[in-house]
Amino acid sequence: QASPTGFPFKVLEVEGSLSDPEVYEHRPRACTLGYLRDMYKKPDGSIGYRCASEPVADYVKKGGEIEATTGRKCLCNALCANVGLPQIQPKHEDYQEEMLITIGDDVNKCKEFMKQNEKGDWGYSARDVVQFLLSGLENPKTEEESKPSASLAP
């Protein structure tokens, strides 16, 4: 399970990404964004935060169970890297976060959208998916048809 929360995300195996065990082993464990942290009660009664993908010693020191850290990956940082906004970790020789592609049960549906571009690369756009979704409607409106029309007041 990659998710620090234990949610059963599926991860697409992509060479050079955090799904590659060699690439993952070179990643310094860190939780720099903290969107998926868990709250816990500190000994003084205040609220603290921990993440199963932060350094193991830090997580355990905060009362987390070491077993919860096994296989956990930082989804917050990886998902930002997926969209071209990778975190840079100055404390770790300017390590730049790698991507980690999460997938759902319909990953094979993507094959229907895939097209090869002039460079030979395969991909699809959000527009391709939206057009597919609209194709099931009886009278789907095009982008131009859905714009409000201007009218002149008398």
Side-chain angles (χ1 to χ4, degrees), residues 34-81:
Y35 300 136
L36 297 174
R37 295 179 297 177
D38 289 324
M39 292 191 304
Y40 71 97
K41 188 175 181 180
K42 293 181 175 183
D44 68 1
S46 65
I47 300 295
Y49 298 92
R50 63 181 174 225
C51 177
S53 68
E54 71 183 313
V56 175
D58 293 349
Y59 184 75
V60 171
K61 187 169 88 176
K62 295 174 183 177
E65 296 179 13
I66 196 166
E67 297 81 14
T69 64
T70 304
R72 305 299 185 190
K73 294 176 171 61
C74 183
L75 290 181
C76 301
N77 287 353
L79 295 177
C80 285

Coordinates of all heavy atoms in Angstrom, one line a residue, residues 34-81:
G34 N 2.3 17.5 3.9 CA 1.5 17.1 5.1 C 0.0 17.1 4.9 O -0.8 17.1 5.8
Y35 N -0.5 16.9 3.6 CA -1.9 16.9 3.4 C -2.6 15.7 3.9 O -3.8 15.7 4.2 CB -2.2 17.1 1.9 CG -1.7 18.3 1.3 CD1 -1.0 18.3 0.1 CD2 -1.8 19.6 1.9 CE1 -0.5 19.5 -0.5 CE2 -1.3 20.7 1.3 CZ -0.7 20.7 0.1 OH -0.2 21.8 -0.5
L36 N -1.8 14.6 4.0 CA -2.4 13.3 4.5 C -2.0 12.9 5.9 O -2.1 11.7 6.2 CB -2.1 12.2 3.4 CG -2.6 12.4 2.0 CD1 -2.1 11.4 1.1 CD2 -4.2 12.4 2.0
R37 N -1.5 13.8 6.6 CA -1.1 13.5 8.0 C -2.2 13.1 8.9 O -3.4 13.5 8.6 CB -0.4 14.7 8.6 CG 0.9 15.1 7.9 CD 1.5 16.3 8.6 NE 0.6 17.4 8.5 CZ 0.9 18.6 9.1 NH1 1.9 18.8 9.7 NH2 0.0 19.6 8.9
D38 N -1.9 12.3 9.9 CA -2.9 11.9 10.9 C -2.6 12.8 12.2 O -1.5 13.1 12.5 CB -2.7 10.4 11.3 CG -3.1 9.5 10.3 OD1 -4.1 9.7 9.6 OD2 -2.4 8.4 10.2
M39 N -3.7 13.1 12.8 CA -3.6 13.8 14.1 C -3.4 12.8 15.2 O -3.9 11.7 15.1 CB -4.8 14.7 14.4 CG -5.0 15.8 13.5 SD -6.3 17.0 14.0 CE -7.7 16.0 14.1
Y40 N -2.7 13.2 16.3 CA -2.5 12.3 17.4 C -2.4 13.3 18.7 O -2.1 14.4 18.5 CB -1.3 11.4 17.3 CG 0.0 12.1 17.4 CD1 0.7 12.1 18.7 CD2 0.6 12.7 16.3 CE1 1.9 12.7 18.8 CE2 1.8 13.3 16.4 CZ 2.5 13.3 17.6 OH 3.7 14.0 17.7
K41 N -2.7 12.7 19.8 CA -2.6 13.5 21.1 C -1.2 13.3 21.6 O -0.8 12.2 21.9 CB -3.7 13.0 22.0 CG -3.8 13.8 23.3 CD -5.0 13.3 24.1 CE -5.1 14.2 25.4 NZ -6.2 13.7 26.2
K42 N -0.5 14.5 21.8 CA 0.8 14.5 22.4 C 0.7 14.2 23.9 O -0.4 14.5 24.5 CB 1.5 15.8 22.2 CG 1.8 16.1 20.7 CD 2.5 17.4 20.6 CE 3.0 17.8 19.3 NZ 3.7 19.1 19.3
P43 N 1.8 13.9 24.6 CA 1.7 13.7 26.0 C 1.3 14.9 26.8 O 0.6 14.7 27.9 CB 3.2 13.3 26.4 CG 3.8 12.7 25.1 CD 3.1 13.5 24.0
D44 N 1.5 16.1 26.3 CA 1.1 17.3 27.0 C -0.4 17.6 26.7 O -0.9 18.7 27.2 CB 2.0 18.5 26.7 CG 1.9 18.9 25.2 OD1 1.0 18.4 24.5 OD2 2.6 19.9 24.9
G45 N -1.1 16.8 25.9 CA -2.5 17.0 25.6 C -2.7 17.8 24.4 O -3.9 17.9 23.9
S46 N -1.7 18.4 23.8 CA -1.9 19.1 22.5 C -2.0 18.1 21.3 O -1.7 17.0 21.5 CB -0.8 20.1 22.3 OG 0.5 19.5 22.2
I47 N -2.4 18.7 20.2 CA -2.5 17.9 19.0 C -1.2 17.9 18.2 O -0.6 19.0 18.0 CB -3.6 18.5 18.1 CG1 -5.0 18.4 18.8 CG2 -3.7 17.7 16.8 CD1 -5.5 17.1 19.2
G48 N -0.8 16.8 17.7 CA 0.4 16.7 16.9 C 0.0 16.0 15.6 O -1.1 15.5 15.4
Y49 N 0.9 16.0 14.6 CA 0.7 15.4 13.3 C 1.8 14.4 13.0 O 3.0 14.7 13.3 CB 0.6 16.5 12.3 CG -0.5 17.5 12.5 CD1 -0.3 18.6 13.2 CD2 -1.8 17.2 12.0 CE1 -1.4 19.5 13.4 CE2 -2.8 18.1 12.2 CZ -2.6 19.2 12.9 OH -3.7 20.1 13.2
R50 N 1.4 13.3 12.4 CA 2.4 12.4 11.9 C 2.0 11.8 10.6 O 0.8 11.8 10.2 CB 2.6 11.2 12.9 CG 1.4 10.4 13.2 CD 1.7 9.3 14.2 NE 0.5 8.6 14.6 CZ 0.0 8.3 15.8 NH1 0.8 8.6 16.8 NH2 -1.1 7.7 16.0
C51 N 2.9 11.3 9.8 CA 2.7 10.7 8.5 C 3.5 9.5 8.4 O 4.7 9.5 8.6 CB 3.1 11.8 7.4 SG 2.8 11.1 5.7
A52 N 2.9 8.4 7.9 CA 3.6 7.1 7.8 C 4.7 7.2 6.7 O 5.5 6.2 6.6 CB 2.6 6.0 7.5
S53 N 4.7 8.2 5.9 CA 5.8 8.3 4.9 C 6.9 9.3 5.4 O 7.9 9.5 4.6 CB 5.2 8.8 3.6 OG 4.8 10.1 3.6
E54 N 6.8 9.8 6.6 CA 7.9 10.7 7.1 C 9.0 9.7 7.5 O 8.9 8.5 7.6 CB 7.4 11.6 8.2 CG 7.1 10.9 9.5 CD 6.5 11.9 10.5 OE1 7.1 13.0 10.7 OE2 5.5 11.5 11.1
P55 N 10.2 10.3 8.0 CA 11.3 9.4 8.5 C 10.7 8.5 9.6 O 10.0 8.9 10.4 CB 12.3 10.4 9.0 CG 12.1 11.6 8.1 CD 10.6 11.7 7.9
V56 N 11.1 7.2 9.5 CA 10.5 6.2 10.3 C 10.7 6.5 11.8 O 9.8 6.4 12.6 CB 11.1 4.8 10.0 CG1 10.6 3.7 11.0 CG2 10.7 4.4 8.6
A57 N 11.9 7.0 12.2 CA 12.2 7.3 13.6 C 11.3 8.4 14.1 O 10.8 8.4 15.2 CB 13.7 7.7 13.7
D58 N 11.0 9.4 13.2 CA 10.1 10.5 13.6 C 8.7 10.0 13.8 O 8.1 10.4 14.8 CB 10.1 11.6 12.5 CG 11.4 12.3 12.4 OD1 12.3 12.1 13.3 OD2 11.6 13.0 11.4
Y59 N 8.3 9.1 12.9 CA 6.9 8.6 13.0 C 6.7 7.8 14.3 O 5.7 7.9 15.1 CB 6.6 7.7 11.8 CG 5.2 7.2 11.7 CD1 4.1 8.0 11.4 CD2 4.9 5.9 12.0 CE1 2.8 7.6 11.3 CE2 3.6 5.4 11.9 CZ 2.6 6.2 11.6 OH 1.3 5.7 11.6
V60 N 7.7 6.9 14.6 CA 7.6 6.1 15.8 C 7.7 6.9 17.1 O 7.0 6.7 18.0 CB 8.7 5.0 15.7 CG1 8.8 4.2 17.1 CG2 8.5 4.0 14.6
K61 N 8.6 7.9 17.1 CA 8.7 8.8 18.2 C 7.4 9.5 18.5 O 7.1 9.8 19.7 CB 9.8 9.9 17.9 CG 10.2 10.8 19.1 CD 11.4 11.6 18.8 CE 11.0 12.9 18.1 NZ 12.2 13.7 17.9
K62 N 6.6 9.7 17.5 CA 5.3 10.4 17.7 C 4.2 9.4 18.1 O 3.0 9.7 18.0 CB 4.9 11.1 16.4 CG 5.8 12.2 16.1 CD 5.4 12.8 14.7 CE 6.4 13.9 14.3 NZ 6.0 14.4 12.9
G63 N 4.6 8.1 18.3 CA 3.6 7.1 18.8 C 3.1 6.2 17.6 O 2.2 5.4 17.9
G64 N 3.6 6.4 16.4 CA 3.1 5.6 15.3 C 3.8 4.2 15.4 O 4.8 4.0 16.0
E65 N 3.1 3.2 14.8 CA 3.6 1.9 14.8 C 4.5 1.7 13.6 O 4.2 2.0 12.5 CB 2.5 0.9 14.7 CG 1.6 0.9 16.0 CD 0.5 -0.1 16.0 OE1 0.4 -1.0 15.1 OE2 -0.4 0.1 16.8
I66 N 5.7 1.1 13.8 CA 6.7 1.0 12.7 C 6.1 0.2 11.5 O 6.5 0.5 10.4 CB 8.0 0.3 13.3 CG1 9.1 0.5 12.3 CG2 7.8 -1.1 13.6 CD1 10.5 0.2 12.8
E67 N 5.2 -0.8 11.8 CA 4.6 -1.6 10.7 C 3.9 -0.7 9.7 O 3.7 -1.0 8.5 CB 3.7 -2.6 11.3 CG 4.4 -3.7 12.1 CD 4.6 -3.2 13.6 OE1 4.1 -2.2 14.0 OE2 5.4 -3.9 14.3
A68 N 3.3 0.4 10.2 CA 2.5 1.3 9.3 C 3.4 2.1 8.3 O 2.9 2.6 7.4 CB 1.8 2.3 10.2
T69 N 4.7 2.1 8.5 CA 5.6 2.8 7.6 C 6.1 1.9 6.4 O 6.6 2.5 5.4 CB 6.9 3.3 8.3 OG1 7.6 2.2 8.8 CG2 6.5 4.2 9.5
T70 N 5.9 0.6 6.5 CA 6.4 -0.3 5.4 C 5.7 0.0 4.1 O 4.4 -0.1 4.0 CB 6.2 -1.7 5.9 OG1 6.9 -1.9 7.1 CG2 6.8 -2.7 4.8
G71 N 6.5 0.3 3.1 CA 5.9 0.5 1.8 C 5.2 1.8 1.5 O 4.7 2.1 0.4
R72 N 5.1 2.7 2.5 CA 4.4 3.9 2.4 C 5.2 4.9 1.6 O 6.5 5.0 1.7 CB 4.1 4.5 3.7 CG 3.3 3.6 4.6 CD 2.0 3.3 4.1 NE 1.3 2.5 5.1 CZ 0.2 1.8 5.0 NH1 -0.4 1.8 3.8 NH2 -0.3 1.2 5.9
K73 N 4.6 5.6 0.7 CA 5.2 6.6 -0.2 C 4.5 8.0 0.0 O 3.4 8.0 0.4 CB 5.1 6.2 -1.6 CG 5.9 4.9 -1.9 CD 5.7 4.4 -3.3 CE 6.7 3.3 -3.7 NZ 6.5 2.1 -3.0
C74 N 5.3 9.0 -0.2 CA 4.7 10.3 0.0 C 3.8 10.7 -1.3 O 4.4 11.1 -2.3 CB 5.8 11.4 0.2 SG 5.1 13.0 0.5
L75 N 2.5 10.5 -1.1 CA 1.7 10.8 -2.3 C 1.5 12.3 -2.5 O 1.4 12.7 -3.6 CB 0.3 10.2 -2.0 CG 0.2 8.7 -2.1 CD1 -1.3 8.2 -1.9 CD2 0.7 8.2 -3.4
C76 N 1.5 13.1 -1.5 CA 1.4 14.5 -1.6 C 2.5 15.1 -2.6 O 2.2 15.8 -3.5 CB 1.5 15.2 -0.3 SG 0.3 14.7 1.0
N77 N 3.7 14.8 -2.2 CA 4.8 15.3 -3.1 C 4.8 14.6 -4.5 O 5.0 15.3 -5.5 CB 6.2 15.0 -2.4 CG 6.4 15.9 -1.2 OD1 5.6 16.8 -1.0 ND2 7.5 15.6 -0.5
A78 N 4.5 13.3 -4.5 CA 4.6 12.6 -5.8 C 3.5 13.1 -6.7 O 3.7 13.3 -7.9 CB 4.4 11.1 -5.6
L79 N 2.3 13.4 -6.2 CA 1.2 13.9 -7.1 C 1.5 15.3 -7.6 O 1.1 15.6 -8.7 CB -0.1 13.8 -6.4 CG -0.6 12.3 -6.0 CD1 -1.9 12.4 -5.2 CD2 -0.8 11.5 -7.3
C80 N 2.2 16.1 -6.8 CA 2.6 17.4 -7.3 C 3.6 17.3 -8.4 O 3.5 18.0 -9.4 CB 3.1 18.3 -6.1 SG 1.9 18.9 -5.0
A81 N 4.5 16.3 -8.2 CA 5.5 16.0 -9.3 C 4.8 15.6 -10.6 O 5.2 15.9 -11.7 CB 6.5 15.0 -8.8

